[in-house]
Every structure is written in C-alpha cells, then in structure tokens.
Amino acid sequence: MNAPDLTRRPIQQLPDQLISQIAAGEVVERPSAVVKELLENALDAGATQITVRLEEGGVKRIAITDNGRGIPPEELPLALSRHATSKIASLKDLENVGTLGFRGEALASIASVAAVRVTSRTPDSPHAFEIVGSHEGTVAPSSGAFGTTIDVQDLYFNTPARRKFLKSEQTEYGHCAEVVRRIALSRPDVSFSLSHNGRTIDHWNISEDAKRSAQILGSDFAEARLVLDESAGPLRLHGYVGLPTASKARADGQFFYVNGRFVRDKVLVHAVRAAYQDVLHGDRFPCYVLSLDLDPALVDVNVHPSKIEVRFRDSRAVHQFVFHAVQRTLAQTSATAHGSVPAPITAAEVRPSGTPLWQLSQSPAQAPMRPHQQTSFGTQLSPTFSPSPFAPGSRWDDPSTGGGVAQRTEAYGALFASNDSDRAAAPSVQETSTSAMGAVPLSASERPLSNDDFPLGFALAQLHGIYILAQNTRGLVLVDMHAAHERILYEQIKNALDAQAQGQEMQVQSMLIPVTFYADAIEVATAQDHADTLKTLGFDIAALSPTTLAVRSVPTLLKNADAQTLARDVLRDVREYGGSRVLIERRNELLGTLACHTAVRANRILTVPEMNALLRQMESTERADQCNHGRPTWVQLEISALDKLFLRGQ
C-alpha cells in the first residue's frame, strides 16, 4: 500500500470541471442515478408523458423525453451550470422544498462525466433549441416537440476508473428499470414508457392508483392488499398494505414515499414492521406501497446527495402515526372485513386445461402426512385435554359460555337459496333443509343469505381431524382449525393484558391441586426473581423446594393447556430476555407461544356446534385471516371451481 504524499501544497481553488466530477461521485453513482435525477426533473416540469430509452444498461446511452414546460433557450446554459436551479431561491424555499429536485447540481455533474445533449421547446417557442456538452456550449436551433429531451451518452468516458466499478449490462439495466418502476408507481397520473436496446420493455398509461400498482407489482399483490387512507393533523398516510399471506423472503416489495419522493427511512420501515409483528413471521417481509404526505417544513429532504433519506422534525410522532395506521388496517383482516377475504380459488386454478381428474389426487396439497396425522381419525385425545372454548359438555347455544352460539337451521337452509340464475332453484316453503342440527322447515319469509351475514358460512364436517369444511354463499370454505383457534386465543390474551394495563384485573384460574414438576436451579431462581412479571402475565409459580416448582394459577384463557409446558416456556423467555423486555419487546412472541400450546390440536374431534362456534369467533376476531406467523387460516373454493372439477355445464 502506497503511503500518502504529505508534501506541503498551497491552498488553491479547484477547477470547475474537477469540482463537478467530485460532485458526480456523490450524485452519479451508476446509470440508475442518472435516470432518477432526469425523471425527477421531468416530473417537476409538469410532464404527463415520459419516455425512457436505454442502451447497454444505460452506460452507452440514457435518453429521457418528456412533455413538460420546457426550458427557454436563454436558460439552457444555466441548466448545465453548477448550483443553478429554478426551484429554490432562498433559505425559506430550502426549508419548504415541494419539488423532487432542488440542488441544481445533477445536470452539471452528469455533464462532467458523460456527453450530454439537452433539447427543449417551450409552448410559446416556434421551434426547439439545444445545447451540447456543458454550460459553455452554444445554444442552437433544433427540431423537437414541446417538452425536453436529455440525451446522456458514454457515461464515465473521461473517468475510466469509475467505469470499472460498474457491473454487467443486465445488472445496470435492472437498477435503471427499478428506478423507473418506483417513480411510475408513485405517479399513476403520468404515462411512462421504458425501452432497452431498441426494444420496448414496459409501458404504463395514465391510470388510477389501484391499476398502476397492480400493473407494476403484479396480480398477486393486487389480490392480497388492503386499502389504507388515514389522516391526523398535518399527516396523511395512504396506499396499500399487503396481507401477511402475501409476504416475501426479501424486502423488495416495499415502497414508501414522502411527499411523492421514494425514501428508505429507518423510522418508517420500523413503524411498518412493528405493525406487522404479530401477524408475520420474523424472517418474512411484508409488501406495501405507502405515501406519507405532510407539510414540507416538517421534513428535511436535504440530508443526503441522492435525496433518498429524510429527517423528520418530530420522528416519534410520525412513527406512532404510521404504526397505528398500518396496525388498524391489518386489524381489519377478519372474515367480516370488506376486501380482506383471502383470494378465492377460481375455476381456472383448479385444473389446468387437459389435466386428467385423477392427477388431482397427486397435487402438492397431498404432501406426506404430518406426524400428528398418523393417529386414527376416531381416536380421542386425553380426556384432560379440552382447550377453551371447546370444553366437553358446554352448551353452545348458551351465551354464558362465551364460546359462540349455535346456528338456526333456518339460516343454514337459506344458503341453498341463490339469486344466480345458473344455479338450481331455491327450495319452496314446503321443502325442508337438513343440517347436522336437525331438519326445520324454511319459513316463507326466509331470505337468501348474503356474504355479510355469515362470511364463513356453516360447518359441514371435519377433514382428517385438521380442517373444517363449511358452506357459505360463495361455495366451500376450508379452515385450518388449529391456526384459526391459535389466532383467536392470541388476540384474547393480548386484549386481556391490554385491559390489565388500563387497570382491569387479569382473570386467572387457580389450580385445585397445584401442578408440580422438577426444575433446575436456574428455573427456580427465575420464578423467584421475576414473580411480579409472572403475576402480570397471570401465572403464580412458586418454589416448593430447591428442585421443585408448583403452578398455582394460570390465565383463565389458558386453563385447559398443559400447565407445566406453559410454565417452562414462560420461565425460559423471562430468563432469556428479562422481565421488562418480555412484557414489551418480546410480548407478542410469548403470547404466540402460549396461544399455540392452548389452541385446539389436530385430531381433536369437534361437534358441528363447536365448529360453528369457531367460525363465528373467527368472524368477530381481528386479524383472523392469518395465524400468528402470517399463514392463512382459511381459503375459499368457489362454486364455479367445483363446477369446473366435475365438468358441469360443459
């Protein structure tokens, strides 16, 4: 390694060209940075049509044409000068930046490391004018439509060392295309066209937010997103958040904009992540397209040369607003929430054209049986295992049980009535409807049910002791009973802790005979040192001897779970993370573990009223569309899909 030259040199003014090239090192990192700067200038000029042409990943050529206001010929030299801009003129303007670009150095920096030609025509000009090279170039008449075309060729031709750091053509093109996608996603009111090496890659016409996001992010996101639009004082957050079931293994589906500017901000990312924490597994990333609008004076966009980072005047207030807005939207993911029902399995997805029906039996859905499926379907589990609310002997038509209510068979029978002309006619008033709860004549006033009455319909049977089959107005509903019950219990325990924080007592179940178990010295010490934390969680765990612990009480919601297993899990988390962290940072993970231990297990035979009670609880529970890890708790199979299977109407 060469030692630095410490020879004394006189202080001198750097040449303009060198200054611009130094600035280019910050602004023009790669071709995609050029694309970003030029697109932002086009949008600031009021363009509604933008065309991006790239060659060799943008290294050989980047040409961007817009139909904006254009640049008067006398201002063209200034456009290529350092620190020259029409967007700010004073410190007050800098503190209230309302445009995407404002530094006035992008074009000058680009011109210092590439061959640049600017052609522009204003609405009141008879023809276009152009300037080539730099601000010292000559302005000459040219041809062109209203707007501006900036043609950048041979990037880094005069700084070959920088060019060596570029990646392959396809990699650089990928970065450029991603910039175009980000900006196009935030501006559906502008049409964008992207071509590479003479071939058109993407074209998006002017459209609505919903359509533009579906075009760019795909139909999978469009079918698994929730609309968000909330305001609080000077803050407004709007856009779409993806359902947990639409999460990805990478964070490449996350788009956040502040006043129309795509940003990567730790405050915003953390706020959204925190909102997803109890509906998404830790190694998955949610997808979202969100825009935060606020007074420009409340955010500093001048903290990074590429303007991709921002600083909020009150970051805590912004964090809380974004967190609660996203959290409230995700809380609507229950079966009764409009627009949050999982995407149905359509007829087109059931069987590809030409696939024999017998091959369906070899579908991925019939993977090797899970270990808990090896037990005989009719085998009952231990009589002591009776997870709430599925306690043996409970009266499910008794509201005092709190577990749900049995359904009227008249309402169940009304499911067979339909307004669809291509389905069978509804039964007459003389006909009867038979369900597992008996046969009752349909009354003459009974109306066909809508999806809003009972979105998950009514239980028909269990499948392999794992899934509940139910019928609703749309067709067949399949429910993973353990995952669904786990979410219900999780929300109940969380609500109980929240109520306790507001002064209400935690409901606990005292053991008639305490459950004792062998414990090591660390577990005993943890129970003694963190007795207050355990009490807050609803547990009374006392040391009977240096090697024995006794569970004297547990939260009422968990009374039917294995007390020893619950105690060990709680003690492990308290010991590992400390009492305060368990109650704050690790609370959701702990509650998820407790709910999992308590939820109804596979091969637990449920009666029809019990299954219906679970469906009704799902409909009234927030976030019930997903389990605690973001997996779906139920799916819908449309009648049309069933017809497709049996070739009805063909």
Side-chain angles (χ1 to χ4, degrees), residues 539 554 558 561-571 594 597-598:
F539 291 89
V554 297
L558 309 179
D562 185 281
Q564 178 180 334
T565 302
L566 289 179
R568 288 190 183 278
D569 284 339
V570 171
L571 290 173
L594 299 180
H597 282 307
T598 313

Side-chain angles (χ1 to χ4, degrees), residues 341-365:
V341 177
I345 302 173
T346 63
E349 297 169 321
V350 172
R351 178 167 60 95
S353 177
T355 303
L357 283 171
W358 65 267
Q359 287 189 8
L360 293 175
S361 64
Q362 306 299 322
S363 66

Side-chain angles (χ1 to χ4, degrees), residues 191-248:
S191 70
F192 291 84
S193 182
L194 171 64
S195 66
H196 185 223
N197 292 337
R199 184 168 65 94
T200 300
I201 306 298
D202 285 308
H203 180 80
W204 302 292
N205 290 322
I206 295 175
S207 60
E208 302 296 328
D209 287 347
K211 185 176 181 180
R212 177 63 63 83
S213 62
Q215 290 174 329
I216 294 179
L217 300 183
S219 58
D220 289 345
F221 178 77
E223 293 173 358
R225 65 185 178 188
L226 301 172
V227 179
L228 188 157
D229 194 341
E230 290 202 18
S231 299
L235 304 177
R236 181 194 174 205
L237 184 68
H238 57 97
Y240 303 95
V241 291
L243 291 173
T245 48
S247 63
K248 305 178 71 173

Side-chain angles (χ1 to χ4, degrees), residues 418-621:
S418 172
N419 293 326
D420 296 336
S421 59
D422 60 338
R423 305 305 305 168
S428 65
V429 295
Q430 288 80 20
E431 294 177 305
T432 60
S433 170
T434 303
S435 76
M437 291 174 281
V440 179
L442 288 176
S443 65
S445 61
E446 190 66 71
R447 63 175 176 82
L449 289 181
S450 70
N451 198 52
D452 295 332
D453 293 321
F454 300 103
L456 295 181
F458 298 88
L460 301 174
Q462 266 182 295
L463 180 65
H464 286 290
I466 301 172
Y467 302 105
I468 294 174
L469 308 183
Q471 172 180 304
N472 66 358
T473 54
R474 301 170 63 185
L476 181 67
V477 172
L478 297 94
V479 177
D480 183 330
M481 67 183 194
H482 173 76
H485 193 209
E486 183 179 344
R487 166 57 70 181
I488 291 170
L489 287 173
Y490 175 88
E491 294 293 335
Q492 290 176 342
I493 301 169
K494 186 172 65 173
N495 291 338
L497 280 179
D498 291 340
Q500 185 185 44
Q502 298 174 4
Q504 300 182 28
E505 291 187 4
M506 168 74 76
Q507 297 298 313
V508 299
Q509 176 68 47
S510 298
M511 301 290 186
L512 184 62
I513 300 177
V515 175
T516 60
F517 60 94
Y518 172 81
D520 57 33
I522 296 178
E523 288 178 322
V524 173
T526 302
Q528 294 174 332
D529 295 343
H530 297 281
D532 291 341
T533 298
L534 295 172
K535 184 177 180 181
T536 299
L537 292 168
F539 291 89
D540 183 358
I541 305 175
L544 298 184
S545 75
T547 58
T548 306
L549 288 176
V551 183
R552 294 174 174 172
S553 66
V554 297
T556 301
L557 291 168
L558 309 179
K559 65 181 180 181
N560 294 302
D562 185 281
Q564 178 180 334
T565 302
L566 289 179
R568 288 190 183 278
D569 284 339
V570 171
L571 290 173
R572 183 190 64 241
D573 276 14
V574 170
R575 178 179 71 247
E576 185 173 352
Y577 300 103
S580 60
R581 284 193 63 193
V582 162
L583 293 176
I584 300 174
E585 299 176 24
R586 298 285 303 178
R587 189 184 80 155
N588 291 339
E589 289 83 351
L590 175 60
L591 298 188
T593 300
L594 299 180
C596 185
H597 282 307
T598 313
V600 61
R601 296 294 183 183
N603 288 320
R604 168 73 157 84
I605 307 304
L606 304 181
T607 66
V608 170
E610 287 174 331
M611 288 187 279
N612 279 324
L614 178 62
L615 298 179
R616 301 293 80 80
Q617 285 190 311
M618 290 175 64
E619 292 169 347
S620 61
T621 299

Side-chain angles (χ1 to χ4, degrees), residues 37 57 59 75 80 86 93 97 179 183 225 258 274 281 353 364 506 525 549 552 609 624 643:
E37 295 291 346
V59 178
E75 295 180 12
L80 294 176
S86 62
D93 293 336
V97 175
V179 167
I183 294 179
R225 65 185 178 188
V258 175
H281 196 273
S353 177
M506 168 74 76
L549 288 176
R552 294 174 174 172
D643 288 345

Side-chain angles (χ1 to χ4, degrees), residues 99-237:
T99 54
L100 297 176
F102 59 89
R103 287 172 172 265
E105 63 186 45
L107 283 178
S109 298
I110 295 170
S112 70
V113 292
V116 175
R117 178 189 301 269
V118 180
T119 305
S120 189
R121 180 182 176 186
T122 58
D124 58 352
S125 177
H127 56 79
F129 291 86
E130 71 174 19
I131 184 172
V132 180
S134 68
H135 64 285
E136 297 177 348
T138 302
V139 177
S142 182
S143 61
F146 296 122
T148 302
T149 296
I150 300 181
D151 197 340
V152 180
Q153 298 189 34
D154 296 325
L155 191 61
Y156 304 130
F157 77 96
N158 56 356
T159 53
R162 293 285 305 279
R163 195 160 187 164
K164 291 180 181 178
F165 284 94
L166 297 179
K167 304 301 182 182
S168 68
E169 174 182 329
Q170 195 59 35
T171 298
E172 295 301 338
Y173 165 73
H175 286 288
C176 292
E178 180 65 17
V179 167
V180 177
R181 289 174 70 245
R182 288 174 188 165
I183 294 179
L185 194 57
S186 68
R187 293 297 302 270
D189 58 326
V190 178
S191 70
F192 291 84
S193 182
L194 171 64
S195 66
H196 185 223
N197 292 337
R199 184 168 65 94
T200 300
I201 306 298
D202 285 308
H203 180 80
W204 302 292
N205 290 322
I206 295 175
S207 60
E208 302 296 328
D209 287 347
K211 185 176 181 180
R212 177 63 63 83
S213 62
Q215 290 174 329
I216 294 179
L217 300 183
S219 58
D220 289 345
F221 178 77
E223 293 173 358
R225 65 185 178 188
L226 301 172
V227 179
L228 188 157
D229 194 341
E230 290 202 18
S231 299
L235 304 177
R236 181 194 174 205
L237 184 68

Side-chain angles (χ1 to χ4, degrees), residues 334-395:
S334 66
T336 56
H338 174 70
S340 66
V341 177
I345 302 173
T346 63
E349 297 169 321
V350 172
R351 178 167 60 95
S353 177
T355 303
L357 283 171
W358 65 267
Q359 287 189 8
L360 293 175
S361 64
Q362 306 299 322
S363 66
Q366 288 195 333
M369 295 181 70
R370 305 176 190 178
H372 57 242
Q373 287 180 280
Q374 305 301 325
T375 307
S376 170
F377 177 77
T379 302
Q380 294 285 353
L381 300 180
S382 169
T384 60
F385 182 82
S386 53
S388 173
F390 305 108
S394 297
R395 285 277 310 238

